[in-house]
Amino acid sequence: MDKIKEMEKIERKLLKLKKSPLYSERILNKAFPVIGEGSLDSKIMFVGEAPGKKEAQTGKPFCGASGKVLDELLASIKLDRKKVYVTNIVKDRPTDNRDPSKEEIEIYGPFLDKQIEIIQPKIIATLGRYSAEYIMKKFSLEEKIEPIGKMHGKVFQSKLGIKIIPLLHPAVVLYNSYSRDDLKLDFKILNKFK
Ligand code: URA
């Protein structure tokens, strides 16, 4: 499989995804869908929720305030961002940074599924509760789903051999619900799998 070509196919489809309720706003704001970024041969794939304003302006995932926190967390375990793949479930910015809706997750989910098929990561580290729930369900781990406050930092083995590690969303640091040290502690788990 030519991974670059397969990823470009996804990009072309996303660019004309008129059935998405977020499409017209993307066009109106001259914004971009945020497909994902990083190595297509990554062992570790990070899956966030949806792009924020800066991400939609640039087409790059986690390049705003949450991205700065993510970069710090990666640096704390000396994990080079270029060696992992970073994406989101929802690829367009939800209006005013609201949470992604069920419909949006349903529309964009298959694009993430295809990305997982292309990259074939060993570890999927989810960032935040939406991606945790989506990925746990996708890998038949729904009975293990707990509130993210309980589930974060645990390692779940899926039948397909991929390990799922739900992590807190980096933005929780910005809302002061958790400290950087709390998140760094969870990130240490990834050290084993680098
Ligand atoms: N939050 C996310 O979940 N993803 C991004 O790309 C940026 C902020």
Side-chain angles (χ1 to χ4, degrees):
M1 170 175 40
D2 184 329
K3 293 184 171 193
I4 297 177
K5 284 209 174 109
E6 291 295 313
M7 223 29 117
E8 283 169 355
K9 262 194 225 164
I10 294 182
E11 183 166 0
R12 282 199 296 276
K13 282 191 188 155
L14 279 168
L15 279 167
K16 49 181 193 208
L17 193 67
K18 293 194 178 141
K19 72 170 178 185
S20 166
L22 304 174
Y23 175 86
S24 55
E25 204 166 336
R26 183 216 298 163
I27 300 298
L28 197 71
N29 294 331
K30 297 191 172 53
F32 297 98
V34 179
I35 290 123
E37 187 181 59
S39 163
L40 301 186
D41 296 312
S42 299
K43 263 170 85 177
I44 304 178
M45 188 167 175
F46 287 91
V47 182
E49 289 178 3
K53 192 171 183 182
K54 186 119 188 249
E55 287 78 16
Q57 279 168 351
T58 58
K60 291 180 183 299
F62 284 95
C63 63
S66 303
K68 256 183 108 180
V69 179
L70 177 63
D71 288 345
E72 268 182 55
L73 296 168
L74 292 170
S76 73
I77 54 164
K78 300 191 172 54
L79 181 53
D80 185 350
R81 183 158 164 169
K82 289 198 246 4
K83 290 201 174 139
V84 300
Y85 193 82
V86 181
T87 189
N88 290 297
I89 322 180
V90 171
K91 314 293 193 194
D92 280 299
R93 180 184 181 226
T95 320
D96 298 325
N97 289 346
R98 60 162 168 72
D99 289 339
S101 70
K102 199 164 168 260
E103 183 196 4
E104 287 154 7
I105 292 173
E106 263 165 29
I107 289 176
Y108 290 93
F111 292 95
L112 174 62
D113 295 347
K114 184 72 194 165
Q115 288 177 301
I116 295 170
E117 211 180 295
I118 295 169
I119 295 173
Q120 297 186 13
K122 302 261 182 292
I123 311 288
I124 301 179
T126 57
L127 301 168
R129 73 184 170 103
Y130 290 95
S131 49
E133 280 178 21
Y134 182 85
I135 294 290
M136 294 285 281
K137 280 186 193 150
K138 173 175 166 61
F139 286 94
S140 311
L141 290 163
E142 55 259 85
E143 78 282 6
K144 301 265 165 72
I145 296 176
E146 288 179 286
I148 190 68
K150 278 196 158 182
M151 201 168 45
H152 70 94
K154 294 184 185 169
V155 181
F156 297 91
Q157 178 72 54
S158 77
K159 288 195 190 99
L160 296 176
I162 299 180
K163 289 187 171 62
I164 314 298
I165 308 183
L167 297 171
L168 293 164
H169 194 285
V172 296
V173 168
L174 309 172
Y175 308 137
N176 294 319
S177 9
Y178 288 87
S179 73
R180 278 176 167 70
D181 286 345
D182 294 329
L183 273 69
K184 281 181 186 165
L185 205 61
D186 280 354
F187 260 66
K188 281 193 181 150
I189 292 165
L190 295 172
N191 262 325
K192 273 195 256 170
F193 307 110
K194 283 195 293 190

